[in-house]
Structures are given as structure tokens and as C-alpha cells.
Amino acid sequence: MNWLLVIIGGLFEILFASCLGKVRQTSGTEMYLWFAGFLVSLIASMGLLMKATQTLPIGTAYAVWTGIGAVGSVIVGIIIFKEPATFWRLFFITTLIGSIVGLKVVSH
């Protein structure tokens, strides 16, 4: 159950990073709405991580949480923000995914 909280928290991390990207691209009321989305996502993400680490090892849970956020943010950046999808960028994201899975497998 707590690993599910880490995963959902990681998804909220992707959302708050995406909202932050949209804040940079907008102005006026729209910018403030994206900033509000950033704050709500940030609070939800941190709250879920905090709840999950009450029973999970902090080092592993944090690494998985940030890994989900990092991988997801790169994917969102490529798809939505039109960032480059070079071979090396995709290669290292793939190794990061492998590392996240490995941490989850070896944690008790």
C-alpha cells in the first residue's frame, strides 16, 4: 500500500514540474492558475511521500519518488514542451528506470 503512495506521489511530482514549466510560458491570470496547480501538486506529492516513509525506508522511497518524477518530467518535456529526444537522453532515462526498478526489487 505504501509503495502505491510513493508512486502516486511521484505522479504528482510530474504534475508540479509540468505546472512549473507552464508558469514560465504564461502570464497574467493563467500564470497564477498554473502556479496554484503547482502548489497543490507539490503539497500532495510531499504529503504522500511523508505518509509512505512512515513505514518504508526513507532512502529507497525517496529515490523511487524522485526517479518517477524525473523520468515522467523528461517524458512530459519531450511530448508537451518539445524538448529534444536525443539518443543519450533516452539512454540515461532508461538506465534510471532500471535503477528505480532495481531499488524496489532489493528493498525489504
Side-chain angles (χ1 to χ4, degrees):
M1 174 61 180
N2 284 320
W3 282 112
L4 183 61
L5 295 179
V6 172
I7 292 168
I8 295 170
L11 295 175
F12 273 107
E13 186 179 1
I14 297 167
L15 186 58
F16 81 67
S18 300
C19 287
L20 198 55
K22 293 300 269 184
V23 165
R24 288 184 32 216
Q25 294 180 341
T26 57
S27 62
T29 303
E30 186 178 1
M31 179 189 71
Y32 291 112
L33 290 173
W34 282 112
F35 187 72
F38 163 77
L39 289 176
V40 169
S41 301
L42 178 67
I43 291 167
S45 182
M46 295 289 179
L48 289 166
L49 178 64
M50 184 176 67
K51 177 70 176 157
T53 57
Q54 290 176 348
T55 59
L56 297 175
I58 184 73
T60 305
Y62 182 75
V64 171
W65 176 78
T66 56
I68 292 168
V71 170
S73 296
V74 169
I75 292 169
V76 167
I78 290 169
I79 294 170
I80 294 178
F81 296 109
K82 307 299 183 214
E83 295 174 358
T86 64
F87 169 79
W88 288 112
R89 193 168 192 199
L90 297 175
F91 172 79
F92 286 116
I93 286 297
T94 303
T95 61
L96 181 58
I97 293 168
S99 298
I100 293 166
V101 171
L103 277 173
K104 171 66 176 90
V105 168
V106 299
S107 69
H108 295 78

